[in-house]
């Protein structure tokens, strides 16, 4: 049995906070788990993972997930699956939301970390970010933008 690694420190990514709970190196690349905490109306661009399936589990708040042409309104304890090769995104519908994301196979968490900014104890707002640079770096991880962020 493998001892789980200590959770990484939170970092800013696309205006929300993220952290890697289980890195790919702890599972031989089979799976990784991340946690995301986002504010109301947060939505990443519609995107496609060519290599990994993704499962989202809502821990707190209300989130709408968009997977292909389907829409799922989820609350805490509910989950959605984003198969590899299918465009997907989400929209936070509550004041804040906290989700776990499971990626299989693993390694895409390296893209999030590489484009993140450490959370400082003095931060009162999300760190600024360059969406163009983040999206340009996605190609190396076989992540492609398929459209704009969903909106209410």
């Amino acid at each position: 049995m493998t001892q789980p690694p200590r959770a990484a420190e939170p970092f800013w990514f696309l205006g929300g906070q993220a952290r890697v709970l289980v890195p790919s190196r702890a599972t031989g690349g089979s799976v990784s788990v991340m946690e995301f905490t986002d504010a109301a109306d947060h939505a990443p661009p519609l995107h496609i993972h060519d290599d990994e399936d993704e499962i989202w589990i809502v821990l707190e708040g209300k989130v709408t997930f968009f997977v292909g042409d389907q829409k799922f309104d989820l609350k805490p304890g509910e989950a959605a699956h984003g198969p590899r090769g299918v465009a997907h995104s989400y929209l936070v519908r509550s004041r804040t939301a906290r989700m776990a994301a499971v990626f299989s196979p693993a390694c895409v968490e390296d893209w999030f970390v590489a484009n993140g900014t450490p959370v400082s104890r003095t931060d009162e707002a999300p760190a600024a970010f360059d969406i163009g640079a983040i999206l340009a770096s996605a190609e190396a991880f076989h992540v492609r933008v398929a459209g704009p962020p969903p909106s209410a």
Side-chain angles (χ1 to χ4, degrees):
M1 182 158 119
T2 303
Q3 180 70 13
R6 201 171 57 131
E9 295 296 318
F11 58 91
W12 295 109
F13 183 81
L14 293 182
Q17 285 191 27
R19 64 187 183 125
V20 178
L21 300 176
V22 179
S24 61
R25 69 182 174 280
T27 67
S30 64
V31 67
S32 62
V33 181
M34 293 185 65
E35 177 184 76
F36 294 90
T37 303
D38 297 309
D41 299 323
H42 176 87
L46 194 64
H47 60 282
I48 298 168
H49 295 267
D50 289 327
D51 297 339
E52 355 8 77
D53 284 314
E54 186 173 1
I55 296 174
W56 303 282
I57 304 158
V58 177
L59 304 172
E60 297 172 4
K62 293 179 182 176
V63 182
T64 298
F65 287 95
F66 301 85
V67 181
D69 60 357
Q70 298 181 307
K71 179 176 141 182
F72 305 96
D73 291 326
L74 304 181
K75 59 186 185 300
E78 296 179 330
H81 173 231
R84 73 189 78 190
V86 177
H88 60 274
S89 187
Y90 64 88
L91 173 67
V92 174
R93 297 181 298 111
S94 51
R95 189 177 66 76
T96 61
R98 190 169 62 91
M99 299 166 285
V102 180
F103 300 97
S104 179
C107 294
V108 75
E109 80 274 6
D110 292 337
W111 174 64
F112 292 99
V113 172
N115 288 284
T117 304
V119 173
S120 142
R121 288 191 172 109
T122 61
D123 284 346
E124 293 184 17
F129 60 90
D130 180 347
I131 188 71
I134 292 171
L135 297 178
S137 71
E139 185 177 327
F141 291 90
H142 306 156
V143 176
R144 297 178 283 129
V145 173
S151 61

